[in-house]
Amino acid sequence: MDRRKFLGVATTAAGVSLLPGNAAAADDRLPALVRRYLDQALAAGSPSVVCGVIQGRRTHVEGAGAAVGRSAPDGRTVFQLGSITKTLTATALARAVGAGATRLDAPLVLPARFPIPRKGTRRITLAHLATHTSGLPSLPPNLLAGADPYDPYAHYTLDDLATGLRCTQLSTEPGEVNAYSNLGFGLLGQALAFDDVDSMLRHRVAAPLGMVDTTTSLRPDMASRKAVGHFEGEVVPDWHDHVLSAAGTSMYSTADDMVRFLRSQLRPERSPLRDAIELTQRPRFTVDQNLRLGLGWHLSSLPGGQTMTWHNGGTGGFSTCAAFIRESGTAVVMMVNTFSQETETAARPVDALTFRLLGELGELGAA
């Protein structure tokens, strides 16, 4: 394996079970549809895949391949979540705003030894961080020097972050241009809960939504059902991070947990985090006529006036995608245990399959 090629991933990433309380489909069309997409994910090179779908009141979660030993994966199989974690961080921000603890237009503030980069007259705000409009680079300038290519964030400390910020330059004045930044979301997490980001996400977002396996701390019972990550067919280790983890560099989750999260996005009024969820889905920045940004979420316009809200993610050995359409009451999450990357001519397989399946769910519901 080319170790330099694997290190470059850091700049781009970041069985059947039915959830309790949900009835199986009245016919076999929904499971059959999901199985067809599972087969396509395996054919695209994934050692294993789990897919969870919501269609109105129906929920179906199913896996294929071999994720843990010789066992087929299911809704409780653990994957690294990647940058979908940013939507959890954005939800934590929205909760803090709703509680009056901060404001979206509040400037980014960290302890004094962490200098905040400036360009022009505007200061970086929390909303800029949550919409990737801060002008910050994708990564700290000193992150990759000396990094383990198989675990590129593990060595990075708060002291390193303080040093890196001193030589970080903004590409644009905050609020002007959308440029994806793991550093920005990492700083957002530190601004919300300095040196306690993982606990904050667990208590403010995952626990209230019943997402028991969404955490950066791999419990023994989770380790026993965790899929093994792959890069170009070879087994690779998980990523670890204690500084920029709010960006999604080290979060674990399951399809069951993500289905719970997506159901709360489809029906916020039934969620204990209703106001925060609604705030994250509200458009804040327009990229072009087809794409707007909420807090953490991408909002893509669809024919007929519908909006697909989505985020994808990846670490060195895992790829994920989650998307939903509130107007049709449909949602899809797909998780595979291999790294994948888009090309100039094609989307990542996990993303393309997620979006196509979401479209077919709407058609199936209308049939």
Side-chain angles (χ1 to χ4, degrees):
M1 180 186 299
D2 187 335
R3 291 171 63 88
R4 289 174 298 177
K5 182 177 180 181
F6 190 83
L7 183 58
V9 172
T11 66
T12 59
V16 181
S17 67
L18 291 173
L19 293 180
N22 292 294
D27 54 47
D28 63 355
R29 290 183 300 166
L30 184 59
L33 177 62
V34 170
R35 289 186 193 113
R36 178 154 54 87
Y37 278 86
L38 294 175
D39 290 342
Q40 292 180 52
L42 295 178
S46 299
S48 65
V49 53
V50 178
C51 182
V53 301
I54 301 171
Q55 184 190 47
R57 296 182 179 181
R58 295 185 291 177
T59 298
H60 185 76
V61 182
E62 186 168 348
V68 184
R70 296 182 178 179
S71 301
D74 59 23
R76 297 182 70 245
T77 300
V78 177
F79 293 77
Q80 287 212 291
L81 186 60
S83 286
I84 296 176
T85 304
K86 290 180 173 69
T87 64
L88 278 69
T89 302
T91 305
L93 168 61
R95 287 204 70 184
V97 169
T102 190
R103 308 183 317 275
L104 289 179
D105 62 356
L108 170 62
V109 175
L110 295 171
R113 67 189 179 101
F114 297 87
I116 307 302
R118 296 285 294 268
K119 189 180 185 72
T121 59
R122 300 176 192 162
R123 300 176 66 183
I124 296 174
T125 68
L126 302 186
H128 291 146
L129 297 174
T131 56
H132 298 285
T133 57
S134 65
L136 286 164
S138 175
L139 298 173
N142 62 337
L143 174 73
L144 297 183
D148 178 352
Y150 298 109
D151 198 357
Y153 293 85
H155 72 294
Y156 205 67
T157 66
L158 286 171
D159 288 340
D160 293 328
L161 178 62
T163 299
L165 286 174
R166 294 188 190 101
C167 55
T168 296
Q169 297 183 349
L170 302 188
S171 59
T172 61
E173 189 169 348
E176 290 187 349
V177 176
N178 166 244
Y180 197 84
S181 176
N182 278 340
L183 172 58
F185 255 88
L187 294 180
L188 175 58
Q190 294 294 346
L192 293 172
F194 183 75
D195 202 19
D196 197 27
V197 173
D198 303 330
S199 176
M200 179 268 294
L201 292 178
R202 186 167 59 253
H203 289 100
R204 296 188 190 177
V205 183
L209 296 179
M211 301 166 66
V212 296
D213 289 329
T214 301
T215 174
T216 59
S217 301
L218 194 63
R219 303 186 310 268
D221 71 292
M222 292 174 62
S224 66
R225 47 190 166 89
K226 189 188 76 68
V228 176
H230 292 76
F231 181 85
E232 295 184 341
E234 295 188 23
V235 172
V236 294
D238 298 343
W239 280 3
H240 305 85
D241 182 9
H242 302 291
V243 175
L244 302 176
S245 56
T249 49
S250 56
M251 184 69 76
Y252 295 98
S253 191
T254 65
D256 280 357
D257 270 11
M258 288 310 301
V259 165
R260 293 184 180 95
F261 185 59
L262 290 172
R263 189 168 287 284
S264 74
Q265 305 300 317
L266 288 173
R267 301 294 297 270
E269 69 277 8
R270 297 185 177 182
S271 166
L273 307 186
R274 171 180 180 171
D275 293 342
I277 289 171
E278 292 283 12
L279 183 58
T280 63
Q281 295 182 25
R282 197 169 300 156
R284 304 281 310 178
F285 186 87
T286 299
V287 178
D288 55 40
Q289 62 180 357
N290 296 317
L291 179 64
R292 296 175 295 171
L293 303 175
L295 299 178
W297 289 109
H298 305 294
L299 312 173
S300 294
S301 301
L302 300 176
Q306 294 185 335
T307 297
M308 179 177 71
T309 305
W310 61 277
H311 209 298
N312 55 8
T315 63
F318 297 87
S319 301
T320 59
C321 188
F324 63 92
I325 301 172
R326 286 185 65 171
E327 294 90 342
S328 62
T330 53
V332 176
V333 59
M334 186 172 288
M335 313 175 86
V336 300
N337 62 330
T338 187
F339 172 78
S340 60
Q341 190 171 0
E342 65 183 8
T343 67
E344 293 183 359
T345 58
R348 302 188 312 166
V350 68
D351 301 336
L353 292 172
T354 297
F355 298 156
R356 288 207 303 266
L357 175 53
L358 185 63
E360 286 207 51
L361 280 179
E363 296 172 3
L364 185 63

